[in-house]
Amino acid sequence: MPRLYYQGHGSYRITSNHGMVIYVDPFVGGGYEKPADLILVTHQHSDHNRVELVRRAPGCQMITEREALAGGVYHTFTVGVAQIEAVRAENINHDPRECVGYLLTLDGISIYAAGDTSTTDQMHSLSQRRLDYALLPIDGVYNMGPGEASACARLIGARHSIPVHMKPGGGVEPGRAAPF
């Protein structure tokens, strides 16, 4: 079963059963010592793209919103054992043409890495995907707050929802590793 390591804010690391290391929106916290095979960046705000924190394994790939939404089309990628599909993300401070979320599938687990978003029209169709996990922002600074995140969690219908992108001291503490 893949493992999730929460680093803080919207930053986390996923490690597959095969040892593939994926960092999502590196910004704060520790836990960057494992070399990355894949780095996912949802948008270019400074609290989501400190990729210099991440050590890179040989052949490391990085996908940002630029590649994921090239030509205005949401793209799908295969990197090692991971399938990555870009999806819509937006909020009052994030133009949907410059921001994405990701659907990841690895080790038979499906994960929605929502990025820095509020409710999107696309979330209505995510329930059909029967996702295992949804990682949703909850700080309410431009993106959704706890109430909206709860409504999105119900809309998406993932088996488990995990809050991220929260105010310091506002919930899950950084540096926690757990199996999905």
Side-chain angles (χ1 to χ4, degrees):
M1 179 163 269
R3 294 189 60 81
L4 171 71
Y5 183 87
Y6 178 61
Q7 295 166 288
H9 196 58
S11 308
Y12 47 93
R13 178 183 74 216
I14 299 167
T15 306
S16 79
N17 291 338
H18 301 35
M20 181 178 187
V21 176
I22 303 168
Y23 288 91
V24 179
D25 283 347
F27 170 59
V28 296
Y32 292 102
E33 68 281 348
K34 290 188 176 192
D37 297 295
L38 174 62
I39 302 168
L40 298 174
V41 176
T42 61
H43 64 290
Q44 293 303 310
H45 284 184
S46 61
D47 62 337
H48 288 265
N49 68 357
R50 288 194 55 211
V51 296
E52 71 275 5
L53 294 173
V54 180
R55 288 183 41 220
R56 298 178 190 203
C60 175
Q61 293 187 38
M62 182 166 61
I63 300 170
T64 73
E65 79 289 344
R66 292 175 185 131
E67 296 81 22
L69 193 52
V73 176
Y74 294 95
H75 293 276
T76 300
F77 307 86
T78 300
V79 179
V81 298
Q83 291 285 123
I84 304 100
E85 180 183 341
V87 296
R88 187 176 181 95
E90 64 182 292
N91 64 44
I92 62 171
N93 199 36
H94 295 79
D95 185 324
R97 295 171 297 180
E98 299 172 351
C99 187
V100 297
Y102 295 103
L103 296 175
L104 288 90
T105 305
L106 70 156
D107 298 336
I109 301 290
S110 56
I111 304 161
Y112 173 38
D116 199 357
T117 193
S118 292
T119 307
T120 70
D121 290 339
Q122 190 177 24
M123 288 177 182
H124 296 277
S125 65
L126 292 181
S127 65
Q128 299 167 7
R129 304 292 289 266
R130 299 181 187 263
L131 300 170
D132 294 300
Y133 294 89
L135 288 92
L136 303 171
I138 67 162
D139 71 0
V141 178
Y142 305 121
N143 60 37
M144 61 181 99
E148 185 180 355
S150 293
C152 287
R154 287 189 297 277
L155 183 66
I156 294 162
R159 288 181 39 220
H160 308 280
S161 294
I162 301 171
V164 296
H165 202 292
M166 57 195 98
K167 296 174 186 169
V172 179
E173 292 301 316
R176 305 283 287 168
F180 272 109

